[in-house]
């Protein structure tokens, strides 16, 4: 089949946004982009001449993901506390529901849950934590829409639709890399805590943890990406007008809040969680959407808990985030996260090259496709 664009030469002359075509040309005058502050350039090279209306929130598709939301100045002051406090309340509710269940029905003792440095997380408690985080994601989307007046879809992508195909393809590339990394760490550095201490084996506790992991952990990871990369980062960035500065501030703020939310007082672990959040934010910026960051977060958590479920024996999952639980070995995990960022960058570069080959006009404007 011949190239349909071959018979139509691409015009070299350009028309300024301020020029108004004559009626005979039947070409409508380009409309100013209302979502961009006056005088700010767009990706298409036009310049907006209409100032932003502060009474109306907007989503600006010409700005990068993470800095594309414009809302009322006070909205982030309400949305961010509502989401973070809501997360805390939901986790407290989960604890007060699951611990009595484990004590009176599950047959566990109070000593198993009183070690603050390394608490035991049973499959039922893990289910409660995951469900509370999933509910937090829904709360964040509701707060974004009701309080900030921003469409909830803006939390997932800008300039295009959210793509499940893109998410699954990215996860298909990332998961084998993460799996190989986990296997190498277990073989080369057996002293580094990666899995359970009982060794490989199928137990009732392990099967329960495996089922909960497969059914809820991907959703838990997606919810955290929505909360931190899709809502909190956007809300912080909405205070700043220059797109580049807004993006940087939003990414830093959301990454630090993400690191602090894990409650670790160990500096190595805090650095790891913060850079993990930074990696997800960079992936979202590179692709103008959350698909890659969700694939990254979900693949990491799901594979780690599957490995744990197969080696946990009959014991609960021990999560130690106390001082001294981390160490320089965390640099290897940080290197993995940055490697995955590089992989996402290469995948996006390859996708855009294919898009340029099939749709040159779209490639010139650097507008993401819906694929």
């Amino acid at each position: 089949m011949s190239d349909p664009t071959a018979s139509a030469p691409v015009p070299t002359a350009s028309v300024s946004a301020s020029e108004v075509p004559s009626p005979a040309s039947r070409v409508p005058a380009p409309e100013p982009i209302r979502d961009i502050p006056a005088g700010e350039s767009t990706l298409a090279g036009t310049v907006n001449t209409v100032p932003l209306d502060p009474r109306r929130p907007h989503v600006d598709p010409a700005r990068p993901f993470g800095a594309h939301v414009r809302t009322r100045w006070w909205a982030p002051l309400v949305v961010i506390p509502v989401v973070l406090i809501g997360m805390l309340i939901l986790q407290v509710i989960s604890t007060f529901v699951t611990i009595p269940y484990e004590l009176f029905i599950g047959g566990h003792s109070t000593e198993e849950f009183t070690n603050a440095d390394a608490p035991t997380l049973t499959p039922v408690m893990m289910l409660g934590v995951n469900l509370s985080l999933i509910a937090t994601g829904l709360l964040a989307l509701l707060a974004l829409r009701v309080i900030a007046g921003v469409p909830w879809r803006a939390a997932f992508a800008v300039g295009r639709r959210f793509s499940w195909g893109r998410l699954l393809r990215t996860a298909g590339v990332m998961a084998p890399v993460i799996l190989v990394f986990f296997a190498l760490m277990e073989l080369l550095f057996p002293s580094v805590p990666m899995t359970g201490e009982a060794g490989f084996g199928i137990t009732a506790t392990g099967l329960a943890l495996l089922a909960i992991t497969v059914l809820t952990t991907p959703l838990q990871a997606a919810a955290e990406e929505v909360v931190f990369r899709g809502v909190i980062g956007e809300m912080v960035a909405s205070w700043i007008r220059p797109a580049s500065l807004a993006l940087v501030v939003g990414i830093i703020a959301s990454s630090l809040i993400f690191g602090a939310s894990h409650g670790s007082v160990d500096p190595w672990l805090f650095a790891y969680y913060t850079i993990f959040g930074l990696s997800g934010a960079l992936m979202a910026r590179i692709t103008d959407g959350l698909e890659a960051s969700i694939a990254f977060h979900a693949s990491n958590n799901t594979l780690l808990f599957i490995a744990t479920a197969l080696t946990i024996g009959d014991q609960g999952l021990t999560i130690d985030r106390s001082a001294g639980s981390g160490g320089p070995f965390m640099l290897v995990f940080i290197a993995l996260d940055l490697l995955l960022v590089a992989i996402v960058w290469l995948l996006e570069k390859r996708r855009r090259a294919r898009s340029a080959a099939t749709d040159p006009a779209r490639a010139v404007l650097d507008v993401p496709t819906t694929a």
Side-chain angles (χ1 to χ4, degrees), residues 65-66 68 137 141 144 152-158 160-164 166-168 170-171 174 221-234 254 277 279-298 344:
F65 184 87
H68 61 290
L141 293 176
L144 184 69
W152 61 268
R153 289 182 178 86
F156 291 92
V158 62
R160 60 177 178 81
R161 294 181 180 180
F162 181 86
S163 172
W164 287 101
R166 183 185 292 213
L167 188 156
L168 294 175
T170 306
M174 286 186 174
E224 287 194 49
E225 291 304 305
V226 168
V227 169
F228 293 99
R229 260 63 74 186
V231 174
I232 291 179
E234 293 178 6
S254 64
S279 300
L282 291 176
M283 292 176 188
R285 166 61 192 97
I286 291 169
T287 60
D288 278 329
L290 286 186
E291 296 95 340
S293 65
I294 290 175
F296 163 60
H297 201 152
V344 168

Side-chain angles (χ1 to χ4, degrees), residues 116-248:
D117 292 335
T120 297
L121 187 66
T122 67
V124 171
M125 293 176 66
M126 180 177 173
L127 176 62
V129 170
N130 283 358
L131 291 178
S132 70
L133 290 172
I134 293 169
T136 303
L138 297 176
L139 173 65
L141 293 176
L142 183 64
L144 184 69
R145 181 66 187 92
V146 175
I147 300 173
V150 177
W152 61 268
R153 289 182 178 86
F156 291 92
V158 62
R160 60 177 178 81
R161 294 181 180 180
F162 181 86
S163 172
W164 287 101
R166 183 185 292 213
L167 188 156
L168 294 175
R169 288 192 297 270
T170 306
V173 174
M174 286 186 174
V177 176
I178 296 173
L179 192 60
V180 169
F181 173 83
F182 286 169
L184 289 176
M185 288 294 294
E186 190 69 21
L187 290 173
L188 300 177
F189 304 100
S191 61
V192 175
M194 287 285 299
T195 57
E197 298 179 355
F200 179 79
I202 305 298
T203 64
T205 301
L207 288 176
L209 181 61
L210 182 64
I212 291 168
T213 296
V214 172
L215 294 175
T216 65
T217 296
L219 295 176
Q220 164 262 319
E224 287 194 49
E225 291 304 305
V226 168
V227 169
F228 293 99
R229 260 63 74 186
V231 174
I232 291 179
E234 293 178 6
M235 288 290 96
V236 173
S238 70
W239 277 321
I240 303 173
R241 179 157 295 187
S244 299
L245 181 60
L247 184 66
V248 170

Side-chain angles (χ1 to χ4, degrees), residues 115-119 191-194 262-273 318-331 333:
N115 185 355
D117 292 335
S191 61
V192 175
M194 287 285 299
H262 285 75
S264 177
V265 295
D266 182 84
W268 286 100
L269 283 178
F270 176 79
Y272 167 72
Y273 289 127
T318 299
I319 299 179
D320 188 0
R321 294 173 178 167
S322 61
S325 56
F329 65 86
M330 299 303 302
L331 292 173
F333 294 90

